[in-house]
Amino acid sequence: MKSKPIMLKLGGSVITVKDKFLTPNTEAINRLAEEVADSEVSHLVIVHGGGSYGHPIAARYKITEGFKGKHQLIGFSETHNAMMSLNKLIVEALIGKGLPALSISPSSSIITRHGRIHDIPLDILTHAVSMGFIPVSYGDPVLDHEKGFAILSGDQLISILAVKLGAEKVIVGVDVDGLYTSDPKTNPSAQLIEHATLGDLRELVGEVSGSKTVDVTGGMMGKIFELTLPVMNGIEVLIVNALKPDNIRRALSGENVRGTRIIKG
Ligand code: ADP
């Protein structure tokens, strides 16, 4: 691909109301579509999370545990269907701003092994990006060679795509200002980490022993674990608050944004 694409992750906690089943954050979705349009980025890939669309159904049917019985099949279908509904809202908002968004469904083309992607067909994506389309993919339940099925997180997907597509950078939009010394939602004295290196990241996910100065849990832990891959491959990662107006436009345009910048070091 001639021009390196920018990868944009829109967190489920940003585009949905997380504690209200199947409820989109319409205001955020429309604003983010506008910010993407205003940034005038030429090569872009978007991946979004599930929030109150994907997670509750997947949890009810224990999809992450893999296939245990036929009663789960309907849960797999319902989870994927909910994700398609959310994806449609994002794609429609982008099209509404005149952007050529193109929905890409992971479960139609990816089979994992123990929940991990080993092979990912890139032809359609590279072709679409180089033509100027904006592929919009998402975290999705997928079939799995060992477990029957698994949940492919948007964070794993965007990290692998970033490497395979030779991305310029990965911008991760969440509902907090970035990576903190502990969860800022539960610890008011948590400090924002503005810069981190691959070494710092590895320490966070427990690959390096030593005294732990940072407490990362929940969704942020999964993100840090996955984002190690693009950083390792020399791709800069920027974690920013996508609920704060103009942050995503600024990040896409290469302007300074309060957040966490992670580089190889
Ligand atoms: P999304 O749904 O947007 O992908 P998640 O909700 O899965 O994001 O993960 C982000 C959440 O992780 C934050 O809202 C925050 O509550 C939590 N979190 C836990 N530990 C940390 C930390 N050290 N720094 C920042 N956020 C953290």
Side-chain angles (χ1 to χ4, degrees):
M1 199 181 303
K2 269 185 255 126
S3 188
K4 294 176 163 193
I6 293 182
M7 315 295 295
L8 173 63
K9 167 82 198 300
L10 297 176
S13 54
V14 173
I15 54 170
T16 73
V17 181
K18 248 192 161 173
D19 50 8
K20 281 197 187 141
F21 187 48
L22 298 180
T23 307
N25 183 341
T26 309
E27 181 276 325
I29 293 172
N30 288 328
R31 177 180 46 77
L32 288 164
E34 180 107 52
E35 290 188 31
V36 171
D38 288 348
S39 73
E40 293 181 11
V41 164
S42 60
H43 294 88
L44 178 67
V45 176
I46 297 178
V47 173
H48 64 80
S52 64
Y53 277 72
H55 296 292
I57 311 170
R60 192 186 319 143
Y61 288 92
K62 299 188 167 65
I63 303 297
T64 44
E65 292 179 16
F67 179 75
K68 303 268 194 267
K70 281 219 157 189
H71 64 281
Q72 288 172 298
L73 296 183
I74 192 74
F76 183 100
S77 299
E78 279 180 29
T79 308
H80 172 62
N81 195 43
M83 286 310 300
M84 284 200 302
S85 306
L86 179 59
N87 181 255
K88 191 162 186 279
L89 296 179
I90 309 293
V91 167
E92 279 174 355
L94 292 163
I95 291 174
K97 304 293 174 195
L99 297 169
L102 195 61
S103 170
I104 302 281
S105 173
S107 55
S108 309
S109 58
I110 296 170
I111 301 189
T112 52
R113 290 192 181 278
H114 286 298
R116 306 300 303 172
I117 296 176
H118 283 262
D119 188 29
I120 188 162
L122 289 174
D123 264 16
I124 293 173
L125 272 178
T126 46
H127 207 90
V129 173
S130 59
M131 285 179 75
F133 285 107
I134 301 176
V136 185
S137 198
Y138 47 94
D140 203 18
V142 293
L143 300 182
D144 186 284
H145 283 299
E146 274 78 29
K147 297 166 63 177
F149 47 60
I151 295 290
L152 169 62
S153 74
D155 295 317
Q156 182 187 164
L157 182 61
I158 199 165
S159 297
I160 287 169
L161 285 179
V163 174
K164 299 269 186 197
L165 297 173
E168 182 189 327
K169 62 179 162 186
V170 181
I171 298 167
V172 182
V174 286
D175 64 345
V176 292
D177 281 1
L179 174 64
Y180 283 77
T181 49
S182 69
D183 190 341
K185 283 186 182 156
T186 52
N187 183 356
S189 56
Q191 304 275 316
L192 179 68
I193 300 168
E194 293 191 50
H195 297 279
T197 62
L198 184 62
D200 300 335
L201 231 61
R202 285 197 165 135
E203 199 158 324
L204 295 182
V205 299
E207 276 185 36
V208 180
S209 59
S211 60
K212 236 184 150 196
T213 50
V214 175
D215 180 24
V216 192
T217 53
M220 189 54 79
M221 187 59 179
K223 264 176 243 307
I224 296 302
F225 175 78
E226 300 295 352
L227 292 167
T228 303
L229 182 73
V231 176
M232 210 161 63
N233 283 272
I235 301 167
E236 173 187 332
V237 170
L238 200 60
I239 307 175
V240 298
N241 193 334
L243 284 176
K244 291 194 175 160
D246 216 32
N247 268 359
I248 291 299
R249 186 202 59 78
R250 292 176 66 87
L252 288 170
S253 309
E255 293 173 27
N256 223 18
V257 188
R258 176 180 157 86
T260 301
R261 183 166 170 255
I262 309 168
I263 53 164
K264 197 171 177 186

